[in-house]
Amino acid sequence: MEDGAVVPEGRSVEVTVPATSANLGPGFDTLGLAVSMYDELEVTALATPAAGEQARIEVEVSGSGAEEIARDATNLVIRSIAHVFSDVGRPMPGIRLVARNGVPHGRGLGSSGAAVVAGVLAAKGLLDGIADLDDDALLRLATELEGHPDNVAPALFGGLTIAWTGEQGPRHKKLLVHRGVSPLVLVPGYTMSTKAARSLQPEQVPSADAVFNVSRSALLIAALTQSPDVLLDATDDRLHQDYRAPAMPETSRLVRALRAEGFAAVVSGAGPSVLVLCDGPGSRMDAARVAEEATDTPWEHRAVAVDVRGGTVRNRAEGSSSRS
């Protein structure tokens, strides 16, 4: 770590961050899975402003949600970069951001978490040799920005993650998913606000429903890591999906139709996308056919893999690459 150092003008990093699906049915605000859809960003340091001056910000965005994304300092990636620089007590340089968004926005696939993680990782790359940021710091900073760790943990670290907050802040445990699990993501053309979905959640639930979800969450860990044959039972939920169903009836109808046919289908995050945890490529094709027949809403079918690496940052000049 260099005392008093500033980021060299022209230092540039490339960041890649996967989409994530949180909850996975019963694991409300706890479980998350990284999947192979990606935001790709190039972040370049411009001149560091003098004291009292504003940093120069340049933003170019293409892909999902591009028309709605801020091009100034209010951009979520830029705000996340600024948060890290403030945390480590270093002056933030001007930033040129070029983003290609492959994570669908407003669909329950962790687009805001991906933006936060992208900013945190970009800041880490820009601060290489100037400030040290370990995995715990990255998760803490991302959680401070996102508000909860269930999406940012798998976006940072990949795979299946269990996230919780203890006395020392947010923590996570990464697990490897059984090779027999083949995810299918069904993405509708409409969006859903996470805030609106959360507003439908009751502050209290019956104790029987809480016990039900505890048992299913425990079973889900076993199903995803060892025994995919119990995925249908393991993905059952009583804490959030039914309460949110009135806000996204087509999503709810599709989940019910798929589960009636034996597919482990759940609402992805806050919705409205649907995640189906299939047991092979053939099963994914069958689930896609059910989706085509179950509702009047067209669904984009994305056969994805579990992303095991998580977010990566690479110094463009040096060619070095790391997850975090």
Side-chain angles (χ1 to χ4, degrees), residues 7 11-18 38-44 76-85 95 97 112-129 131-143 145 151-158 307 309-316 320-324:
V7 176
R11 175 174 284 186
S12 186
V13 297
E14 295 179 350
V15 178
T16 301
V17 182
Y38 300 94
D39 284 351
E40 299 175 334
L41 306 92
E42 297 174 6
V43 180
T44 303
L76 184 53
V77 176
I78 301 295
R79 287 193 284 120
S80 300
I81 294 173
H83 183 69
V84 177
F85 273 82
I95 297 291
L97 167 65
S112 66
V116 165
V117 167
V120 170
L121 289 177
K124 176 182 172 61
L126 294 176
L127 287 162
D128 184 36
D132 294 328
L133 293 164
D134 62 14
D135 285 354
D136 288 342
L138 294 172
L139 182 59
R140 173 181 61 81
L141 290 162
T143 301
L145 289 154
N151 278 116
V152 296
L156 276 168
F157 306 114
D307 175 276
R309 192 174 186 189
T312 62
V313 57
R314 183 174 73 91
N315 186 308
R316 296 182 69 196
S320 59
S321 179
S322 65
R323 184 200 64 242
S324 50

Side-chain angles (χ1 to χ4, degrees), residues 252-277:
S252 180
R253 187 176 298 117
L254 178 56
V255 169
R256 291 197 304 271
L258 285 163
R259 295 187 69 82
E261 294 295 326
F263 297 102
V266 298
V267 178
S268 180
S273 294
V274 173
L275 173 69
V276 191
L277 297 168

Side-chain angles (χ1 to χ4, degrees), residues 182-186 258 274-278 283-289 291 300-304:
S182 298
L184 173 69
V185 177
L186 301 168
L258 285 163
V274 173
L275 173 69
V276 191
L277 297 168
C278 301
S283 180
R284 282 199 291 211
M285 293 177 62
D286 293 339
R289 282 194 289 270
E300 180 183 359
H301 308 154
R302 297 199 182 188
V304 296

Side-chain angles (χ1 to χ4, degrees), residues 218-232:
L219 181 62
L220 182 54
I221 298 301
L224 286 170
T225 59
Q226 297 180 345
S227 306
D229 56 299
V230 295
L231 273 169
L232 181 62

Side-chain angles (χ1 to χ4, degrees), residues 3 6 11 36 55 58 81 100 104 111 119 168 177 180 210 223 241 270 280 290 300 307:
D3 292 335
V6 298
R11 175 174 284 186
S36 59
E58 300 177 3
I81 294 173
R100 294 175 292 276
S111 59
Q168 296 180 329
V177 176
Q241 292 182 127
V290 171
E300 180 183 359
D307 175 276

